[in-house]
Amino acid sequence: MAHLPHGRKLNFAAGPSALPLDVLQKAQSEMLNFNGTGISVMEMSHRSADFTEILTQAINNLQDLLDIPSNYKVLFVQGGGTGQFAAVAMNLMRLKPNHSADYFVTGTWSQKAAKEAEKYGKVNYVLPHTKQFKGVPHVNHWNLDNDASYIYYCANETVHGVEFQEPPSHNPDIPIVADMSSNILSKELDISKYGVIYFGAQKNVGPAGVTVVIIREDLLGRAMPSTPAVLDYKILAANNSLYNTPPCYGIYMCGLVFEWLKTHGGIETTAEKSNLKSSALYDIIDNSNEFYHCAVDKEHRSRMNVTFRIGGSNGNENLEKKFLEEAQNLHMIQLKGHRSVGGIRASLYNAVPVEHALKLADFMKDFQRRFGEPEA
Ligand SMILES: Cc1ncc(COP(=O)(O)O)c(C=O)c1O
């Protein structure tokens, strides 16, 4: 396979993950002297006019891309998705007198979020307990509570490759909270349906270290008194994310990615490309006579993280190892499944070009041709 410019690889990492080459080059060109200031963004006061402009532009571009209504605030925070597992509960658990919340657990991340929320109130598990996350059970099996303070779900489970196509249907008077860490900006959203959306940057948006929270204004100011100031949405909003020193360089990088997305067709394009990329891989899986096996129900398969085993539903570890080695030799990297599930995971975030996914698809076909009949 021909080498990519700068010795770069085809990066299918689950996060931190690929960033657009144009963005990395722009950051490189501005590294030593940002916009004639004679200093790097890393060396700049977070209260300077230049940084204020970077922050404002990043917020404006995200508002444009997602069509965020004016009664929502955009916050840049630290502590990752995991910090938000606690922040959501601390800020919203007390919205209703029962101090309880409904959690959809469809994989590792919503499970962790629910566990964390248990520290701050009562967690009602909406779905039947399972250890095997293969989709979202039918609505007939849901146990929603009308007195819940909020409803929580993870829009895309990065480890298992389970994605909600739509937010779960629910009583619209109860705010819904979505962890969109691994599928934000990959499809159209009606923000007005949500109370809170949050996402760690390190998958579809930028480097690790920045988390974005989009929150409806009427939900501000309801935090438990013990909520740390850096997790209190009202304090963060009142200070335009500058209550303390924010992750300045990460915000700058997110801003470059938002600009890049805007000049490359916005969400309409990312949605289209996500479908193209993921269906190229799922088609091969589905036509492989179970040589490749994806455990997730077709209707909940992730467009971002395609998870599969090789050599049957339990996977043949030798074949999987061979697949990863050969892929690596072809410069396709970070394809190993999460350690808790094994197998292969191809992450196809917005910065992964369609051609890279198609090259992986070609390799999968070729690999099956050569190893398609596993030894008895
Ligand atoms: C969907 C989702 N939510 C939350 C997290 C946790 O994020 P962090 O590691 O930034 O705390 C991850 C991490 O991969 C994730 O994929």
Side-chain angles (χ1 to χ4, degrees):
M1 178 177 295
H3 283 263
L4 292 176
H6 312 286
R8 286 177 60 79
K9 311 259 178 182
L10 288 76
N11 184 0
F12 296 100
S17 45
L19 284 167
L21 183 59
D22 295 350
V23 164
L24 294 173
Q25 285 175 323
K26 175 118 202 260
Q28 184 181 41
S29 75
E30 294 179 334
M31 174 65 80
L32 299 181
N33 182 354
F34 174 78
N35 199 23
T37 54
I39 56 176
S40 167
V41 174
M42 272 183 253
E43 303 171 297
M44 183 180 284
S45 163
H46 58 295
R47 306 209 183 270
S48 63
D50 288 289
F51 186 73
T52 306
E53 179 62 20
I54 290 171
L55 179 63
T56 309
Q57 273 303 325
I59 294 173
N60 290 347
N61 282 332
L62 185 63
Q63 282 168 333
D64 282 356
L65 282 163
L66 288 175
D67 201 9
I68 301 176
S70 58
N71 61 327
Y72 284 74
K73 293 276 186 222
V74 174
L75 313 175
F76 287 94
V77 307
Q78 302 191 55
T82 307
Q84 289 309 304
F85 298 165
V88 163
M90 297 190 97
N91 280 274
L92 304 182
M93 194 60 95
R94 306 231 161 159
L95 286 176
K96 291 246 188 91
N98 281 4
H99 299 177
S100 77
D102 279 357
Y103 274 71
F104 282 84
V105 172
T106 53
T108 302
W109 297 113
S110 45
Q111 191 167 48
K112 288 198 165 168
K115 197 97 206 97
E116 186 73 5
E118 282 178 354
K119 294 180 187 165
Y120 307 106
K122 184 174 161 288
V123 168
N124 172 48
Y125 288 82
V126 176
L127 304 177
H129 176 75
T130 178
K131 284 192 178 141
Q132 297 194 318
F133 297 110
K134 295 182 169 183
V136 184
H138 189 269
V139 63
N140 290 348
H141 300 285
W142 298 4
N143 166 35
L144 286 164
D145 171 12
N146 248 336
D147 293 321
S149 293
Y150 62 93
I151 297 166
Y152 180 100
Y153 78 106
C154 176
N156 184 68
E157 284 285 356
T158 322
V159 170
H160 293 86
V162 172
E163 185 171 17
F164 279 80
Q165 306 310 332
E166 295 290 332
S169 55
H170 65 284
N171 174 350
D173 295 336
I174 304 179
I176 189 155
V177 176
D179 173 0
M180 295 200 183
S181 295
S182 50
N183 69 351
I184 192 70
L185 291 160
S186 71
K187 63 177 178 188
E188 300 283 348
L189 281 179
D190 179 354
I191 302 282
S192 70
K193 286 192 176 151
Y194 294 86
V196 175
I197 292 172
Y198 73 83
F199 48 95
Q202 69 268 27
K203 296 160 201 305
N204 256 334
V205 175
V210 191
T211 306
V212 182
V213 178
I214 302 169
I215 179 164
R216 213 174 62 208
E217 279 171 347
D218 62 287
L219 300 174
L220 299 170
R222 312 296 294 271
M224 299 166 60
S226 57
T227 306
V230 291
L231 295 183
D232 186 324
Y233 295 145
K234 184 177 178 201
I235 295 177
L236 293 163
N239 291 278
N240 191 26
S241 303
L242 296 171
Y243 176 74
N244 68 323
T245 316
C248 301
Y249 198 77
I251 294 172
Y252 157 75
M253 289 295 293
C254 292
L256 293 185
V257 172
F258 297 152
E259 250 173 56
W260 179 84
L261 285 170
K262 278 183 79 173
T263 53
H264 285 77
I267 292 191
E268 212 176 301
T269 302
T270 57
E272 198 182 308
K273 288 189 172 168
S274 298
N275 289 339
L276 268 175
K277 290 184 281 187
S278 55
S279 52
L281 303 195
Y282 286 126
D283 282 352
I284 288 170
I285 292 170
D286 291 340
N287 291 306
S288 73
N289 204 15
E290 284 293 295
F291 177 68
Y292 296 117
H293 176 85
C294 172
V296 182
D297 303 338
K298 282 195 181 163
E299 61 188 310
H300 299 116
R301 283 178 173 176
S302 168
R303 297 157 311 122
M304 298 285 111
N305 313 98
V306 177
T307 55
F308 59 96
R309 303 296 312 239
I310 306 179
S313 57
N314 293 324
N316 171 332
E317 285 183 13
N318 289 332
L319 268 183
E320 289 171 348
K321 193 162 163 256
K322 180 104 190 117
F323 180 93
L324 291 170
E325 277 165 12
E326 288 199 7
Q328 173 105 20
N329 290 338
L330 293 168
H331 310 295
M332 301 186 207
I333 62 164
Q334 310 209 68
L335 279 161
K336 197 167 193 262
H338 190 271
R339 60 192 182 282
S340 63
V341 292
I344 312 294
R345 169 173 54 174
S347 296
L348 307 171
Y349 300 125
N350 291 337
V352 173
V354 174
E355 309 84 71
H356 291 195
L358 297 182
K359 283 197 173 126
L360 175 59
D362 283 346
F363 167 62
M364 286 171 69
K365 272 193 251 170
D366 180 56
F367 191 82
Q368 181 175 9
R369 242 188 324 267
R370 289 180 292 117
F371 297 98
E373 295 298 334
E375 288 160 33

